[in-house]
Amino acid sequence: MTTKKKKQKTTMKLRCISVLLCMIIINNNNVLFTLAGRMTLINNNNNNDIQCNVNVNNNNVLNNNVDSSNVQQQQQQQQPLPMLVNSKTSGTSLSNGNSEKKLPNILLVVLDDVGYNDLGSFSKYAKLSPRVPYMEKLMDEGVRLTSFYTQPICSPTRGALMTGRYPIRWRGQHSVATPMHPTWVPEDEAYFPELLQEIGYYTAATGKWHLGHGYRKYSPVGRGFHEFYGPYMGAGDHWNHTVGKYLDFHHDKYVNGIYTHDHIFDKHGIHSTTTTEEFALKIIEAHDDTNAKQPLFLYMPFQAPHMPTQDHEEYINRNMHIRNYQRRGFAGMMSHLDD
């Protein structure tokens, strides 16, 4: 049985894995562009190379008033270039056939339980939209997907993101992971951070995991991350970082075969959004100082604005245009994320 699972996982790693991503690509400390699209990693059995294709749809092209010739020109400019990464080397360079470039650093941000109509850029209900000017600016100047499919709840969303597969494929579309579930995603499903590690990335995650932790192999550091900081479970208290009566705040690291695990006790009273941001900055600063030649993948699955509705009054008060207090609290958590 164990041998069969290992073979299945190997097969998964050798085939195409597509993941719907919303990310910021960073190179040499400069934000190059924001992207929302589909990234495909393909392991080529013949030459042990990794091919990475990124397909995007520019929101401007959807404008019916744009001249057809301009649309065609923009579409041609957006055709993705195949980028081949030789996994036999350090994994820090890529080639499109003409020149080699360093792999970009990648920041992937996920907000918890934000619906299509929760942002003014998409919603018809502006009176209920939170004040998030920076998010709106990113969407206006970047790339927006206006037609896509996702999951309505936590663990299925995260499982789909990590595997590039609909959770119905592994019976994970219903409900969410609980302490009774060792894992929410079967162990023979490959996670795309594992593939990023194989081509040379340092992979780190900070925020809410919610995909299982019954054994180390189901925790973030067992699923493709070198380092993780945050809660394993969902619906935790944003201030004291507990789920029920128990503290759920961890710092795991697995680098060069050495595993460390620490419980975090000194963040009581500091909001989950702040702790996630603080650790992300530490990862980025440490990477600049010690691993500048190695590309960084940083995954930030914020716990907010998932219930319970808790945040500083200053963020809630930014949304006084919303009459309903519960909705205003949700909007305040969004404003905190935007700050």
Side-chain angles (χ1 to χ4, degrees), residues 179-239:
M180 297 178 63
H181 296 94
T183 180
W184 191 254
V185 181
E187 61 185 271
D188 58 355
E189 293 282 351
Y191 279 35
F192 84 88
E194 295 174 325
L195 299 181
L196 292 179
Q197 279 195 11
E198 289 178 6
I199 60 174
Y201 273 86
Y202 186 84
T203 56
T206 173
K208 170 184 159 184
W209 176 239
H210 213 185
L211 284 174
H213 59 282
Y215 298 96
R216 187 195 305 172
K217 62 182 177 180
Y218 301 139
S219 71
V221 295
R223 291 290 204 167
F225 289 99
H226 289 104
E227 194 166 2
F228 171 76
Y229 182 88
Y232 291 146
M233 293 301 302
D237 189 286
H238 292 278
W239 294 114

Side-chain angles (χ1 to χ4, degrees), residues 41-59:
L41 296 176
I42 305 172
N43 190 318
N44 188 322
N45 294 327
N46 297 326
N47 56 19
N48 201 29
D49 285 351
I50 300 289
Q51 177 175 325
C52 174
N53 294 332
V54 180
N55 301 310
V56 300
N57 292 319
N58 194 311
N59 187 57

